[in-house]
Amino acid sequence: MVQRMAVSLRFALLLFAAFVSFQLISASDDATILYESFDESFEGRWIVSQKDEYKGVWKHSKSEGHEDYGLLVGEPAKKYAIVKELDEPLSLKDGTVVLQYEVRLQNGLECGGAYLKYLRPQEAGWVSKEFDNESPYMIMFGPDKCGATNKVHFILKHKNPKSGEYIEHHLKNPPSVPSDKLTHVYTAILKPDNELRILIDGEEKQKANFLAADDFQPPLIPEKTIPDPDDKKPEDWDERAKIPDPDAVKPEDWDEDAPMEIEDEDAVKPEGWLDDDPEEIDDPEATKPEDWDDEEDGEWEAPKIDNPKCEAAPGCGEWKRPMKRNPAYKGKWHAPHIDNPNYKGIWKPQQIPNPNYFELDKPDFEPIAAVGIEIWTMQDGILFDNILISKDEKVAESYRASAWKPKFDVEKEKLKAEEAAAGSDGLAGFQKTVFDLLYKVADIPFLDAYKLKIIDVIEKGEKQPNLTIGILVSVVAVIITVLFKIIFGGKKAKVEPPKETEAAESSSSKQEDSGEKEEETEKEETAAAPARRRRRDN
């Protein structure tokens, strides 16, 4: 009896689990607008731009170390463009919308983009076969890195209802692009309460409000007033806070012609100075080349070498007193500055009502009708995968868990093994941890003014791992300086990056260029001896 009840209970639980799974799958299907796994070839489903400038060839390729396929950027230094139209346009005004995709920078990313564009309907004036950088997108989202640029873009193109102009609004303080070659998943969640969340690998990196003036540049809602473009500064407007004192007179004893340095009259020639011996002598071991032609090449002169006598003596040649600073030197006289009685301050044009000002409760999102990749990159090996547009955050979360996480874990374990093999003392792993931490530090909002400088230094440190400690000290010094100014400073002064940073950069540059400099030195030395031959050109 008990056994029958247990079997019946298990059967009921199985039925319930199946029912719940069916409901979840149904909900997932209803919430999923687009899911592209690239398990099958993209040909016939995605449209490659036929514009002449987009020469890059897209490939259906496996991710390195996996059986999973993706859309691959196959060649470096090319422009790429490809687009997929949605079955029907998606409104961004109705509830939550989640944009998510994976990208793996298999060869790194020195200069190029790996972002997606979500395009407006084709009534806006574009066609799939001619998809290019001018095609009207609504949202641009994803990594972009080149030179000083290192960010995960989120750009919204929003129409000003007064002017009719579409304006790009960039998310402020966007997160940095992960510096490794692992698969990463990027998620943008647009909420109906105007909230935007940016996730990398499921971890929230940035939260913003579409209507907050501090979150987007320029803000979606423009300023109520603007400087009057027709206002002109009066000719008699004096912006000089200080002026030379017109009553000041140069002192009579002020000698503007006095030199900065004079001979040191107290200096005495060192004993043993060899006045009659030159600093350089002819090389006694040098011989005239057999092929030297006096008529063609001129009189042969032996190359010079340092006089060995001078090495043991204080010096050779004519002795001259050293120079010292002239105590009477004052330089050119300038009148001292005084407060300007006519100072009126820095002139600014008057403010007038902004003719393009409007108020907004919610962004006036236009529908998206296609997703495209339009990039220019110097690196190949960029692999796009698992592109998702959904109305449910849980759907995106489930794809991260099932499609992305297993790959990422395998890649991370492989990376750890490679680092352990490369450095048994664990230094490589320590450096990776340090650089990952420093990239997170660079994303701290109050360091935004120094973000590009910090990232530039970190990237140089990654190329020269022996600089890890110096880089760490430099960034910590910047943070301490900024915090000190915030806590104790009244006025916000400009904080100069610490010298350690410059030293680290200099050290890195010297190490990278050492081979070239040695080669150049050899070339210069090789060229130096023939210079004395004074051979005439034929």
Side-chain angles (χ1 to χ4, degrees):
M1 183 71 173
V2 174
Q3 188 175 3
R4 287 181 183 176
M5 291 179 64
V7 172
S8 300
L9 180 60
R10 276 201 292 280
F11 182 70
L13 289 173
L14 286 172
L15 285 176
F16 177 74
F19 174 76
V20 171
S21 299
F22 176 78
Q23 293 295 323
L24 288 174
I25 292 172
S26 299
S28 173
D29 291 341
D30 291 341
T32 301
I33 308 302
L34 169 71
Y35 177 62
E36 175 58 82
S37 65
F38 294 107
D39 290 340
E40 299 177 358
S41 174
F42 61 88
E43 294 181 1
R45 297 181 296 109
W46 288 69
I47 300 173
V48 177
S49 176
Q50 297 180 2
K51 283 292 193 76
D52 292 338
E53 62 264 36
Y54 294 95
K55 303 293 187 182
V57 177
W58 295 98
K59 297 180 181 179
H60 184 237
S61 177
K62 290 180 181 179
S63 178
E64 293 179 7
H66 303 288
E67 293 300 314
D68 185 42
Y69 282 87
L71 181 64
L72 180 69
V73 169
E75 302 173 296
K78 300 279 186 179
K79 285 185 176 183
Y80 291 81
I82 191 169
V83 67
K84 179 177 176 59
E85 299 177 23
L86 303 183
D87 292 337
E88 58 183 38
L90 170 66
S91 172
L92 302 179
K93 298 179 181 180
D94 303 328
T96 297
V97 174
V98 182
L99 310 175
Q100 180 171 286
Y101 73 103
E102 297 173 16
V103 67
R104 185 180 184 188
L105 309 174
Q106 297 177 127
N107 296 327
L109 187 63
E110 292 295 325
C111 188
Y115 44 77
L116 268 57
K117 290 183 175 181
Y118 300 86
L119 295 108
R120 291 156 48 202
Q122 294 190 3
E123 289 77 12
W126 69 282
V127 293
S128 297
K129 290 183 178 181
E130 296 181 0
F131 174 48
D132 62 10
N133 65 324
E134 297 295 330
S135 299
Y137 68 86
M138 191 67 198
I139 291 173
M140 189 175 105
F141 172 52
D144 188 19
K145 186 177 179 182
C146 193
T149 299
N150 184 337
K151 64 182 70 175
V152 177
H153 280 295
F154 185 92
I155 304 174
L156 171 67
K157 265 197 172 181
H158 191 267
K159 183 178 180 179
N160 184 307
K162 291 290 188 69
S163 66
E165 179 184 4
Y166 284 89
I167 299 174
E168 288 187 357
H169 302 276
H170 294 244
L171 177 66
K172 286 185 178 180
N173 304 315
S176 301
V177 180
S179 59
D180 53 45
K181 300 177 182 180
L182 309 181
T183 301
H184 293 282
V185 57
Y186 298 89
T187 310
I189 304 172
L190 290 68
K191 305 286 287 185
D193 61 355
N194 299 332
E195 181 183 88
L196 168 69
R197 295 171 58 215
I198 302 297
L199 282 61
I200 300 180
D201 299 343
E203 180 183 348
E204 183 176 295
K205 297 293 185 179
Q206 179 70 303
K207 181 187 285 187
N209 187 296
F210 281 109
L211 301 186
D214 295 333
D215 289 347
F216 281 85
Q217 178 61 40
L220 264 71
I221 301 177
E223 298 288 340
K224 288 186 177 181
T225 61
I226 60 171
D228 184 355
D230 297 324
D231 196 10
K232 305 297 181 184
K233 183 173 71 172
E235 293 183 0
D236 61 347
W237 190 281
D238 198 335
E239 294 183 336
R240 299 174 300 163
K242 299 280 187 178
I243 60 171
D245 184 354
D247 298 327
V249 179
K250 183 175 73 173
E252 293 183 0
D253 62 346
W254 192 291
D255 185 0
E256 291 184 340
D257 298 324
M260 182 182 294
E261 290 184 331
I262 58 174
E263 285 189 355
D264 185 358
E265 298 294 337
D266 297 329
V268 178
K269 182 170 68 175
E271 293 185 8
W273 189 280
L274 305 178
D275 297 82
D276 299 329
D277 289 286
E279 294 182 5
E280 289 185 334
I281 60 172
D282 291 344
D283 185 355
E285 298 181 0
T287 57
K288 180 179 178 180
E290 294 182 0
D291 62 344
W292 188 276
D293 188 327
D294 289 337
E295 293 184 0
E296 291 291 330
D297 303 326
E299 182 182 355
W300 180 80
E301 295 178 0
K304 299 290 184 179
I305 62 171
D306 291 336
N307 189 344
K309 290 184 180 180
C310 300
E311 295 181 2
C316 291
E318 181 185 359
W319 179 80
K320 296 181 180 179
R321 286 188 173 86
M323 304 296 287
K324 69 174 186 179
R325 184 173 180 80
N326 183 1
Y329 173 75
K330 294 184 179 181
K332 185 172 180 61
W333 181 83
H334 297 280
H337 281 68
I338 61 172
D339 291 337
N340 182 2
N342 297 321
Y343 176 65
K344 295 182 179 181
I346 303 301
W347 182 85
K348 295 180 181 179
Q350 65 176 345
Q351 295 287 309
I352 60 173
N354 183 357
N356 294 323
Y357 172 76
F358 62 92
E359 294 183 354
L360 205 61
D361 294 327
K362 289 181 177 296
D364 188 17
F365 293 119
E366 294 190 26
I368 56 175
V371 57
I373 307 172
E374 187 275 316
I375 57 175
W376 175 87
T377 178
M378 294 302 294
Q379 277 71 46
D380 58 356
I382 302 174
L383 189 81
F384 296 88
D385 200 4
N386 294 319
I387 299 174
L388 172 71
I389 302 176
S390 177
K391 295 182 179 180
D392 191 341
E393 294 181 53
K394 292 190 178 299
V395 173
E397 184 178 347
S398 69
Y399 278 117
R400 289 197 299 270
S402 62
W404 165 75
K405 191 67 163 62
K407 289 187 294 188
F408 180 77
D409 289 343
V410 169
E411 294 163 9
K412 198 168 185 180
E413 287 303 317
K414 182 181 178 182
L415 180 62
K416 286 182 180 179
E418 291 173 350
E419 289 175 347
S424 58
D425 58 355
L427 182 59
F430 165 74
Q431 291 166 339
K432 176 68 165 57
T433 302
V434 169
F435 289 128
D436 286 346
L437 176 62
L438 291 179
Y439 273 113
K440 292 181 180 180
V441 169
D443 287 332
I444 297 175
F446 77 83
L447 292 175
D448 186 54
Y450 313 96
K451 180 175 180 177
L452 297 180
K453 188 71 172 178
I454 293 173
I455 289 176
D456 184 54
V457 174
I458 295 172
E459 290 176 346
K460 284 183 171 62
E462 288 179 317
K463 295 176 182 177
Q464 297 289 332
N466 57 305
L467 301 177
T468 301
I469 301 301
I471 299 298
L472 181 60
V473 169
S474 301
V475 176
V476 170
V478 171
I479 296 172
I480 292 175
T481 305
V482 174
L483 287 175
F484 183 86
K485 292 293 182 182
I486 292 174
I487 297 172
F488 300 104
K491 297 181 179 179
K492 293 184 179 179
K494 180 179 179 182
V495 182
E496 296 294 338
K499 292 183 179 179
E500 289 86 351
T501 302
E502 298 175 3
E505 293 180 17
S506 175
S507 176
S508 173
S509 299
K510 288 178 180 177
Q511 291 182 20
E512 291 175 356
D513 297 340
S514 60
E516 295 180 5
K517 288 185 177 180
E518 290 176 2
E519 185 178 356
E520 289 174 2
T521 302
E522 292 175 1
K523 290 180 179 178
E524 290 173 359
E525 291 175 351
T526 304
R532 294 184 176 276
R533 297 175 62 169
R534 297 182 299 182
R535 182 185 294 273
R536 291 191 295 272
D537 295 333
N538 293 330

